[in-house]
Amino acid sequence: MKRRPDTALTLGSTLVLALLSGTAQAATVRAQLGDHGDYSRLVLSVPKGVAPVAVVDGCVLRISVPDPVRWPLASLRDSFSRRLSDFVTADGGRSLTATVPCGARVASVMERQNLIVDVGGPPVPGVKPGAVEVPTEVVVAAAAPEASPSVGVAEMVEALNPIGTANAAAMTLPLPAESPLPPGERVRVRGDRGEDSRDSHAMHPPHPNPLPGGERENAPLPVVASLEGEVRDSIQQTLRQLERTPKPAPQAAEPPKPPAPPPIAAMDLAGWAGDDFNRKREVLQSALEKAQGRARVEAQIALVRFLLARAMDEEGRAALETAGSLSPAPDQRYALRILGDAFRALDREDAPDDNLFVQLPAGAMPDHNVWRSAALAPTRWAAAKEGLPIALRRLLDYPADLRSRLLTTLAAAADEAGDSAALNLIVLEMITVDSVGMADGRLDYFRGRLAELKATPDAALERYDAAAALRRGPFARRAEVRAIELRRGLGRLDEDGAIKALEALRFAWRGDDVETGALAALGGAYARSGQTDAALDIFGLLGRRFGATARGRDALTAGRSLLTAVLDRLEQSPPGGLYALALQARHGRLVTLADTSDGGLRRRLAGLLLRDGYGVEATRILHALTERATGPRRAELGATLARALIDGGREGEALDVLARTGGAGLEPELAERRALLRADALLGDGDTVRALDALRGLGGAEAARLRAQGLFAAGEWRAARTAFAELAAEREATGAEPTADDLALQGLAAYLAGDRDATRGFGEADRARLAGTRWAGLLDAFAPPPADGPLRAESVERDLAAAGALDRLARAWRSTH
């Protein structure tokens, strides 16, 4: 009887095999990229069993694996390296290529499952790799003091002559009429005319063969009669000179600089765009389908140039990726990088430092000035403005669509910088653009912005109304938002009217980036009118709707202005509210994204949380800011965080923060503040002796208060009473009010020191200051017994029994809760 197979076992085996095959197909490579002093290092963590091979071909590094894998292109492209760039996958995922400096020294090693590739700079001629180049004079100065008169002349000659002692042997050949050495390298005899003591002992390296026919070995050598005596005299003169002159300090040789990229050639953008869009594109597509090998890459580059000239950035980026996957040659890869940097400038990138148009000097090249200004305009307008006259003249010959995009980028940057003169020049050139791109209201919008910069609001409103009348396009809606804001600022529209107009615009228009500006303006109006909940909802809507799209940067910029308005409103509100906590709990990630690089908005939010009593959330924010800060700013943030931790009863953490965020070269005020915080934390942590030591040499009311509290904690009642009295006198001189703790501790110190009469100086003002604190009733305890007699023992025993019962109840409550 045959046994039927188990169906469940069969299905399970099938699923396991499917999972294993899926895992094999989904093999992923992890990567780390970083720069060191003399080399760049790429570390690839490959799956088990995969043996990658790294090969350098000219200026391209290729890493190949036998089976397709998923390469981390996104993380590699986001990482900056001076010697590794332009990461592209090829061969269906079986290889990864990158651009390296031509002639660079590349070394690779496999360590377990990690492939480590080090890329150094190109070798320097005449210098061994890794060697430090030291000047000849330094070598002589270092070697001469070790010599002594007992050393033989032959050893001295060998030590001082880099050519060797064979050339220094005495010879009887006659001297030639003219020296065969090049001019300036003639061997001089001591005493000759023009001899200088500084070069009398100079040793020159061998020169190439100056004689025709390569017969240097057979050529007569110039020698000096009685060479041994001359060398002896020269050595003695050198030693005497070295004794008189100080030794020069050795200088470290500068690392070799990588070769500079070739200059960027001129662009024929009008020719790339063509006269007819459809016909030009058909020709390029036809050439691309017929080409093979290198010609195919050239055809793809021609298509990318066409898309750049037509300002089609999304299609251009896709064509760039396709061209990179065709294994271009080094020169083609360089051309693709130039085009890619142009598309990045067209897309208004935030970090243009690695852009070739920014790295290479522009000089008088018109196209280079155009793209350099476009790349620098969104973030560094002062640098972008330097080549603006050349760029504006060159833009007159650009295709209309591309010209409109670039002029818009320059105009927006000049508007943000408040440069009315530059914006006026750009607007004048915008008027000459005959294209559809200028028919959407952008010209009137920027003319309105120019009128605002010139302080003519009525002319600005006229331009804004003309742009808003088009009812289509983002600039028409931007003009409408700006007109509402301007009328509100001029008092022609109240807050409620502005909210109604912005709400109507928000719900009437969808689909472009103007909604971010409208939402930010609406949220700001909500915040100013006291509707904080609505303002927070608008802030969250900005982050959710636009935070992960191509318009994310504009949305976060708009969100930053809205967040500033919300924080201004919260700082004016009384303490104890929930809005700061709601902002951190609901939109903490968006606050981090919208914040500036210095973390100013998050620091303001942390201050509001501390004011309202939410120390845990505030310390989390301050921890994150401190860990990312450097230098004096890190020390200042560490002091703020330590103050929050001390107020929350976490003195041990405060001491650790102060130890990790310290440094040398701090300002005296900040250093004194950190010393006071350290003493306060030590005092709260129970280390009284170290706290008093930390207060040595510190003055001021805060140091005096901490010193008095430290003496009280140490049980030095008389010294504590004196310290508190000095603190009270200093506060009376400055008009500062004493705290409840200082008053109570001063009275306790006087009482415990045996000065019972000192407690009678407390008046009704001091009693009112202690009311409502933990020291309430202390003055009643200091009062003497009643005049009718001492306290009865029965009443005291009854009070003690009641106190013991209450203590047992408290312990039972703590154990159950």
Side-chain angles (χ1 to χ4, degrees), residues 73 171 242 593 774:
L73 286 179
M171 300 183 68
L242 289 175
L593 292 175
R774 60 174 178 164

Side-chain angles (χ1 to χ4, degrees), residues 344-431:
R344 289 166 57 194
L346 199 64
D347 198 30
R348 296 183 304 149
E349 61 175 342
D350 283 331
D353 291 327
D354 58 340
N355 195 309
L356 281 176
F357 294 102
V358 177
Q359 292 179 347
L360 299 180
M365 299 177 65
D367 291 308
H368 198 148
N369 279 280
V370 170
W371 295 103
R372 178 183 176 85
S373 297
L376 291 172
T379 55
R380 285 181 280 174
W381 174 249
K385 186 181 176 182
E386 295 175 358
L388 188 62
I390 302 176
L392 291 178
R393 284 196 299 270
R394 177 57 178 156
L395 279 172
L396 292 172
D397 300 328
Y398 273 32
D401 296 333
L402 181 61
R403 183 181 173 195
S404 176
R405 285 282 298 274
L406 293 174
L407 285 174
T408 302
T409 300
L410 295 174
D415 174 27
E416 186 176 355
D419 193 343
S420 59
L423 183 58
N424 188 26
L425 293 176
I426 298 169
V427 167
L428 289 176
E429 185 156 339
M430 279 183 169
I431 297 174

Side-chain angles (χ1 to χ4, degrees), residues 24-275:
Q25 294 175 0
T28 303
V29 176
R30 292 178 301 169
Q32 293 181 351
L33 180 62
D35 278 0
H36 301 272
D38 299 330
Y39 63 94
S40 300
R41 173 164 290 182
L42 171 66
V43 181
L44 297 176
S45 299
V46 299
K48 200 169 185 179
V50 177
V53 178
V55 179
V56 179
D57 183 11
C59 306
V60 178
L61 169 67
R62 182 182 298 274
I63 301 173
S64 304
V65 293
D67 298 321
V69 295
R70 287 202 298 267
W71 301 94
L73 286 179
S75 61
L76 287 173
R77 289 172 178 172
D78 291 341
S79 302
F80 171 75
S81 176
R82 291 182 297 172
R83 303 174 184 89
L84 284 162
S85 60
D86 297 337
F87 289 91
V88 178
T89 59
D91 301 332
R94 291 183 178 86
S95 64
L96 174 72
T97 62
T99 300
V100 298
C102 298
R105 299 189 299 273
V106 180
S108 62
V109 63
M110 192 70 185
E111 181 69 23
R112 295 183 181 178
Q113 297 303 123
N114 297 324
L115 174 65
I116 303 174
V117 181
D118 291 340
V119 180
V124 180
V127 178
K128 294 182 179 180
V132 180
E133 187 176 354
V134 183
T136 306
E137 293 80 2
V138 179
V139 176
V140 174
E146 298 180 2
S148 62
S150 61
V151 180
V153 176
E155 287 80 3
M156 274 292 184
V157 172
E158 184 176 2
L160 295 178
N161 190 0
I163 305 176
T165 57
N167 294 338
M171 300 183 68
T172 58
L173 295 175
L175 291 174
E178 291 185 3
S179 174
L181 296 177
E185 300 294 336
R186 184 174 63 87
V187 176
R188 292 180 176 177
V189 181
R190 282 199 322 124
D192 284 353
R193 185 180 301 274
E195 180 188 8
D196 189 6
S197 62
R198 291 173 296 179
D199 55 24
S200 61
H201 60 278
M203 298 300 175
H204 301 285
H207 294 277
N209 187 5
L211 300 179
E215 299 294 336
R216 183 177 178 86
E217 298 85 359
N218 301 327
L221 293 176
V223 297
V224 181
S226 63
L227 180 61
E228 184 174 350
E230 295 294 337
V231 169
R232 186 190 303 274
D233 295 340
S234 178
I235 290 173
Q236 292 176 357
Q237 182 181 0
T238 301
L239 292 176
R240 286 194 299 268
Q241 182 181 358
L242 289 175
E243 290 176 357
R244 291 194 302 266
T245 58
K247 300 178 182 179
Q251 299 179 356
E254 296 182 358
K257 297 181 180 179
I264 300 174
M267 300 180 178
D268 185 15
L269 289 158
W272 294 349
D275 297 331

Side-chain angles (χ1 to χ4, degrees), residues 568-584:
D568 291 340
R569 177 66 184 179
L570 293 180
E571 287 174 348
Q572 298 171 3
S573 62
L578 294 173
Y579 288 123
L581 181 62
L583 178 59
Q584 172 61 17

Side-chain angles (χ1 to χ4, degrees), residues 23 142 231 293 323 331 342 346 458 486 541 576 592 601 654 789:
T23 304
V231 169
D331 58 335
L346 199 64
D458 293 329
L486 185 56
L541 181 61
T592 303
L601 296 178

